[in-house]
Amino acid sequence: MENESGAGTGFFGALFEGIIWFVQSLGLAFYNIAYAITHPSAWLDWISWNNTPEDKLSLMKFVYYGGSTEFFFAVLAILLVVTGIGIWRREFMWGCVRVLEAIANTSGRFFAWAGLLMVLQQIIIVFMQRIFTRPDISFGFGIPLQFDISWFAEELKLYNALVVCMCVTYTFVQGGHVRVDLIYAAVKFRTKRMIDMFGSIMFMLPSATLIWMYGWYFLWRHLVTPKPAASWDLERAERSARAVRWNVETIGFSPNGFNGYFLFKILLVAFAGLVFLHAIAFFYRSYLEWKEGPESEGKYLDRDTLGEGEEAYEGTH
């Protein structure tokens, strides 16, 4: 009995301490936001890189805070404030939805052209290999950009990654993702919106956050040395600033193959950021449509169309 009582007390004590830590971190986030805005040089000096100790310290602070709990709570604090204002003023929340969906659409419509570039480059590679029997390809005037054909062949993966990572939220807005609506299709309108809100909070946001936290340090470990780790605290990051230097990964899978694989790490972080932002947009839209009823379905929704008479084919790609 005493052991059970002690275990119960320990559980509730740890739970209480966790709640206190969460509230304190959330309250401190507002101070951190204000400090970051009023002291941009503390974490942005590295952009105009002059290899000075101040630049190195600024870089390591940027790396540390980008994947830190402080950054997480700062984003959470901003999200809670914006959501509170949106609940109070629905016009403001609709404005947020329109801006976030515009970001998704603009990104997707721009980077979708990478698919065309991928096809054209593949055609050029086939012609150069099979018809002209050239081992390399040169582009440009004066000082040409010249790489082995295997470099251009492996670079095709980058175009594919651009389409996947930068068009993912655009496809979501356009209704192009594959869905299995075994339960969703049979329920009422407001129940659907509740399912959408639950999915945004419990699946999209946590998944995007985990990918960001993993991808952030994965990115910087291939850009600088000493390699930063997620286990570092701020003091450890500041100590390493004295020895930090750029060490951008330029290793390919083959001797003459594509060597810009650090770009894929950047795309991983961009993918997580876009999904996180659109999870917010999807939650806001679902809440507003749930609140306003079926007449608000698709309100301000900017979807591409194939033209009049082609409605049956839209959303099936």
Side-chain angles (χ1 to χ4, degrees), residues 33-314:
I33 293 169
Y35 187 87
I37 294 174
T38 55
H39 298 79
S41 61
W43 54 285
L44 288 179
D45 267 358
W46 66 275
I47 295 177
S48 57
W49 186 258
N50 294 312
N51 204 31
T52 62
E54 292 78 13
D55 290 348
K56 294 181 178 181
L57 182 60
S58 174
L59 174 61
M60 292 313 296
K61 283 184 176 180
F62 182 82
V63 173
Y64 167 77
Y65 281 116
S68 65
T69 55
E70 291 89 344
F71 180 64
F72 171 81
F73 279 102
V75 173
L76 180 60
I78 294 172
L79 180 58
L80 290 176
V81 170
V82 171
T83 303
I85 297 173
I87 293 174
W88 176 47
R89 294 288 186 184
R90 273 184 277 172
E91 297 83 2
F92 175 79
M93 186 174 283
W94 274 121
C96 293
V97 171
R98 296 179 70 179
V99 169
L100 293 174
E101 288 184 349
I103 292 173
N105 279 332
T106 302
S107 171
R109 287 164 180 162
F110 178 79
F111 285 100
W113 289 100
L116 176 61
L117 293 176
M118 180 168 56
V119 173
L120 294 176
Q121 185 165 309
Q122 181 64 75
I123 293 172
I124 293 173
I125 290 171
V126 171
F127 267 79
M128 296 300 291
Q129 281 185 319
R130 303 302 179 187
I131 298 177
F132 299 104
T133 62
R134 289 286 303 171
D136 54 18
I137 301 176
S138 298
F139 288 104
F141 301 95
I143 301 177
L145 178 67
Q146 182 174 357
F147 289 106
D148 192 86
I149 282 184
S150 61
W151 188 95
F152 288 99
E154 289 187 17
E155 191 212 3
L156 295 174
K157 302 174 186 176
L158 178 62
Y159 297 132
N160 188 53
L162 283 169
V163 173
V164 171
C165 294
M166 305 306 293
C167 299
V168 59
T169 52
Y170 163 73
T171 308
F172 195 102
V173 172
Q174 301 300 320
H177 285 297
V178 176
R179 305 178 65 146
V180 183
D181 299 336
L182 298 177
I183 299 175
Y184 187 87
V187 298
K188 296 179 180 179
F189 176 82
R190 280 193 164 87
T191 305
K192 290 180 180 180
R193 300 292 83 81
M194 292 177 67
I195 293 173
D196 290 338
M197 286 188 283
F198 178 82
S200 303
I201 297 297
M202 300 306 297
F203 295 105
M204 287 183 71
L205 283 173
S207 298
T209 302
L210 287 174
I211 294 172
W212 177 280
M213 294 176 69
Y214 171 79
W216 181 259
Y217 287 103
F218 184 59
L219 164 64
W220 285 100
R221 286 175 64 83
H222 294 85
L223 292 181
V224 299
T225 187
K227 298 183 182 297
S231 59
W232 284 8
D233 56 14
L234 180 59
E235 183 180 355
R236 176 70 179 85
E238 290 177 339
R239 287 203 308 269
S240 69
R242 289 173 292 184
V244 73
R245 61 183 176 85
W246 289 101
N247 186 29
V248 179
E249 176 191 56
T250 56
I251 299 174
F253 287 111
S254 60
N256 296 319
F258 181 67
N259 56 357
Y261 281 97
F262 68 94
L263 297 173
F264 291 91
K265 283 78 173 180
I266 296 175
L267 287 175
L268 179 64
V269 174
F271 166 83
L274 284 173
V275 172
F276 187 91
L277 289 176
H278 194 67
I280 298 169
F282 190 54
F283 175 81
Y284 285 173
R285 173 173 286 281
S286 302
Y287 168 78
L288 290 166
E289 291 183 357
W290 171 80
K291 190 76 173 176
E292 298 180 2
E295 62 276 6
S296 67
E297 184 177 11
K299 186 176 179 180
Y300 301 125
L301 188 59
D302 180 16
R303 282 187 172 175
D304 297 334
T305 178
L306 299 175
E308 188 177 355
E310 302 293 333
E311 293 83 0
Y313 301 98
E314 293 174 5

